[in-house]
Amino acid sequence: DEQADRLMSVTEVCAMLGVSESWWYRRMREGTAPAPFRVGNSRPRYTAEQVRKWVEQNATFAQKAVEESGSAR
């Protein structure tokens, strides 16, 4: 499906998950976020399907992220 294949920015992913960008970039450095796509020297991009699968596989982790991010704002 076209929507699932659309490349999303980190800002869009964070808005979708309700977490801060610093939280997401920390997960990228730790290797716990999904591996991003990069087109040339562009910023990291993710498909909606990739993020959805990550949330399903890391439901407890994702819920904790929302809780942590909410308390940090």
Side-chain angles (χ1 to χ4, degrees):
D1 141 320
E2 188 175 311
Q3 193 68 5
D5 292 338
R6 185 179 74 81
L7 292 179
M8 301 170 60
S9 68
V10 169
T11 301
E12 292 171 310
V13 170
C14 291
M16 178 179 159
L17 298 178
V19 299
S20 69
E21 289 186 32
S22 61
W23 185 93
W24 188 257
Y25 279 111
R26 191 173 322 119
R27 296 302 143 331
M28 287 175 64
R29 282 191 306 276
E30 294 170 352
T32 55
F37 291 96
R38 291 188 189 265
V39 180
N41 290 330
S42 69
R43 295 175 184 225
R45 297 285 188 247
Y46 298 89
T47 65
E49 180 67 10
Q50 183 181 25
V51 175
R52 184 191 64 74
K53 284 181 180 178
W54 180 84
V55 169
E56 285 178 0
Q57 293 169 352
N58 298 280
T60 303
F61 188 72
Q63 179 58 38
K64 186 176 179 188
V66 171
E67 292 167 3
E68 286 176 11
S69 187
S71 66
R73 290 182 183 181

